[in-house]
Amino acid sequence: MEQDVESPATIRKPKLPKQVRDDLPKQLVEKDQAKKKIQRYVRKDGKCNVHHGNVRETYRYLTDIFTTLVDLKWRFNLFIFVLVYTVTWLFFGFMWWLIAYIRGDLEHIGDNQWTPCVNNLNGFVSAFLFSIETETTIGYGHRVITDKCPEGIVLLLVQSVLGSIVNAFMVGCMFVKISQPKKRAETLVFSTNAVISMRDGRLCLMFRVGDLRNSHIVEASIRAKLIKSKQTKEGEFIPLNQTDMNVGYDTGDDRLFLVSPLIICHEINQHSPFWEISKAHLAKEELEIVVILEGMVEATGMTCQARSSYVSSEIKWGYRFTPVLTLEDGFYEVDYNSFHEIYETNTPSCSARELAEMTARARLPLTWSVASKLSQQGALNTGAGQEEKDDHTGLDQTERNGDIANIESESKV
């Protein structure tokens, strides 16, 4: 008797085409690369993403202690400020108490017949208060030095001089710290993205800068550098190699009159590092463009520097910036809501080099046809002239032969 045997159902996965199977690992790799965090050399807020390690010659920081204190963070700067004054007050307070203890002033408190070094100094607390009054030149009048204490007079002179030095150093440090133009750079803004599009028939890389304050930056100038690792012909690997990008140095366009937002343009020519980079190549490149805006603050005259950067994913190919300047009744108005906005435009996706070659090939047939026609016409003119010249030469020769024959016949007669 035959029995029906149920075989387990097998589900076969659909067979993908060979091209799809080959492209699948590449797509996964590209997704993994996109998920990787982009390591910046300069962050968008302008801070350099570089940490110095294994610095053994730390004594070099102490040789320029003033700059070291100014560069410290505010919490450490305030802590050192309070600590220096407190230590000097305590030290000189201890010295005043030590003089009173050695002279025996503390043993004759309330004795009207005894002339102490400092009147009304009866312990360390009062000596500490007298040290504060002396160094800060408060002079309440309750505690005062007498003329019967030469060592106290010397100590008073030393504390006055050292106190003035400490005041000048610490107050100067705090003043420079407060007046630093770092916060002025907070109102200098850069566009979120850079764009690549055509301008005047040339492929250009552009970004926008603006100043939010009414007090302008004097002698403003802009620079741009390409940060990209490279390998030399000899095999040397140079990490984070810096290459200058021309943003108008030759024409003076790098010097800005930054009253309203400006679009900074870098023409991609044969001298540009983007000369051979196309749209598809740009998406795979690991590069960073660092832009530096420098100038003097109009209110203080101090030099200010603002920085930003653009990685390859922030460079939009085939886009332009939305205009932000409009003419109102008697003035120009800047709409900063549209400062970072861009819109798409027709732009060739090939590199600037390929675009220049295609343009040259498009012009070649016309040039060649005109040149060939001119050369053919010139050859025809030359041939015709040569024939006319030969005809004239033959006629002249015949005439000369006839003249010679006539002369010979006459001589025979």
Side-chain angles (χ1 to χ4, degrees):
M1 184 175 180
E2 296 181 359
Q3 295 180 357
D4 295 333
V5 179
E6 295 181 359
S7 60
T10 58
I11 301 174
R12 295 183 179 181
K13 296 181 179 180
K15 188 175 181 181
L16 299 175
K18 182 179 179 181
Q19 183 178 1
V20 176
R21 293 199 306 269
D22 294 339
D23 293 342
L24 187 59
K26 296 180 181 179
Q27 294 176 0
L28 294 176
V29 171
E30 291 177 358
K31 288 182 179 179
D32 293 339
Q33 291 179 354
K35 291 180 180 179
K36 289 182 181 179
K37 186 178 180 180
I38 299 175
Q39 191 69 27
R40 290 181 177 272
Y41 189 65
V42 176
R43 297 202 293 262
K44 295 294 286 184
D45 58 358
K47 295 181 180 179
C48 298
N49 194 21
V50 178
H51 298 275
H52 300 282
N54 299 325
V55 180
R56 298 181 179 180
E57 299 177 351
T58 54
Y59 67 90
R60 296 181 180 273
Y61 293 103
L62 298 178
T63 56
D64 189 10
I65 187 64
F66 186 83
T67 305
T68 303
L69 291 176
V70 171
D71 290 339
L72 288 176
K73 295 183 179 180
W74 268 107
R75 52 180 177 269
F76 298 115
N77 204 298
L78 292 175
F79 174 76
I80 293 175
F81 184 84
V82 175
L83 181 64
V84 168
Y85 277 106
T86 304
V87 169
T88 54
W89 293 338
L90 288 173
F91 173 76
F92 284 105
F94 174 76
M95 294 300 296
W96 288 113
W97 174 84
L98 184 62
I99 290 175
Y101 177 78
I102 294 175
R103 283 174 52 86
D105 295 343
L106 301 179
E107 299 175 357
H108 297 83
I109 297 175
D111 188 358
N112 295 328
Q113 302 297 325
W114 180 264
T115 304
C117 183
V118 179
N119 290 329
N120 301 315
L121 194 150
N122 52 15
F124 180 76
V125 176
S126 58
F128 176 69
L129 293 175
F130 179 72
S131 173
I132 295 175
E133 295 173 10
T134 302
E135 189 166 334
T136 57
T137 65
I138 294 176
Y140 290 115
H142 183 64
R143 278 174 289 269
V144 60
I145 190 172
T146 61
D147 56 355
K148 302 297 184 181
C149 182
E151 60 273 19
I153 297 174
V154 173
L155 183 61
L156 179 65
L157 294 175
V158 173
Q159 185 176 4
S160 299
V161 173
L162 290 180
S164 300
I165 295 175
V166 170
N167 287 332
F169 187 83
M170 297 308 300
V171 173
C173 178
M174 293 298 294
F175 176 77
V176 173
K177 183 75 174 177
I178 293 172
S179 60
Q180 274 186 324
K182 290 183 178 180
K183 296 301 180 183
R184 178 64 178 89
E186 297 293 332
T187 54
L188 297 174
V189 292
F190 296 87
S191 58
T192 306
N193 297 306
V195 298
I196 294 179
S197 61
M198 299 295 294
R199 174 177 279 192
D200 294 332
R202 297 178 177 86
L203 207 60
C204 298
L205 184 145
M206 294 168 283
F207 58 93
R208 184 148 60 185
V209 296
D211 188 3
L212 301 180
R213 288 187 179 273
N214 292 325
S215 59
H216 309 302
I217 296 293
V218 183
E219 296 291 334
S221 62
I222 190 75
R223 290 182 293 141
K225 286 185 174 292
L226 176 67
I227 308 298
K228 181 183 176 182
S229 300
K230 64 173 291 187
Q231 189 171 4
T232 62
K233 297 179 181 179
E234 295 78 14
E236 179 187 3
F237 179 74
I238 304 177
L240 302 177
N241 182 60
Q242 300 184 11
T243 305
D244 281 329
M245 297 176 58
N246 189 1
V247 289
Y249 177 78
D250 300 334
T251 59
D253 292 337
D254 61 329
R255 294 182 288 273
L256 310 178
F257 181 52
L258 198 58
V259 178
S260 61
L262 299 175
I263 297 177
I264 309 302
C265 179
H266 165 68
E267 181 183 342
I268 303 178
N269 51 24
Q270 59 270 23
H271 303 293
S272 171
F274 288 86
W275 174 242
E276 298 181 354
I277 295 180
S278 62
K279 181 179 180 180
H281 192 194
L282 179 63
K284 302 176 183 178
E285 282 287 335
E286 293 184 1
L287 53 86
E288 182 178 357
I289 300 175
V290 177
V291 292
I292 305 169
L293 176 62
E294 293 179 331
M296 290 188 300
V297 181
E298 188 178 29
T300 61
M302 301 183 70
T303 303
C304 172
Q305 185 181 93
R307 297 181 293 267
S308 186
S309 67
Y310 302 98
V311 294
S312 56
S313 61
E314 296 171 343
I315 303 174
K316 304 300 181 181
W317 192 291
Y319 286 84
R320 288 178 183 168
F321 286 104
T322 303
V324 296
L325 193 65
T326 57
L327 178 60
E328 301 296 335
D329 187 11
F331 62 93
Y332 293 96
E333 184 178 1
V334 179
D335 181 17
Y336 278 98
N337 290 329
S338 305
F339 182 82
H340 302 285
E341 292 183 0
I342 56 178
Y343 65 94
E344 195 170 0
T345 182
N346 293 327
T347 304
S349 59
C350 61
S351 64
R353 179 178 180 178
E354 295 172 348
L355 182 62
E357 291 176 354
M358 287 189 296
T359 304
R361 285 197 298 267
R363 294 177 179 177
L364 182 61
L366 177 62
T367 307
W368 178 82
S369 61
V370 173
S372 61
K373 289 181 179 180
L374 291 175
S375 62
Q376 291 176 1
Q377 185 177 359
L380 292 174
N381 294 335
T382 305
Q386 185 67 29
E387 291 178 356
E388 292 178 359
K389 184 177 180 181
D390 293 340
D391 295 340
H392 287 295
T393 304
L395 292 174
D396 294 341
Q397 187 67 28
T398 304
E399 291 177 356
R400 290 178 183 176
N401 293 335
D403 294 339
I404 293 172
N406 294 330
I407 294 172
E408 288 178 353
S409 59
E410 291 177 357
S411 61
K412 289 179 181 180
V413 177

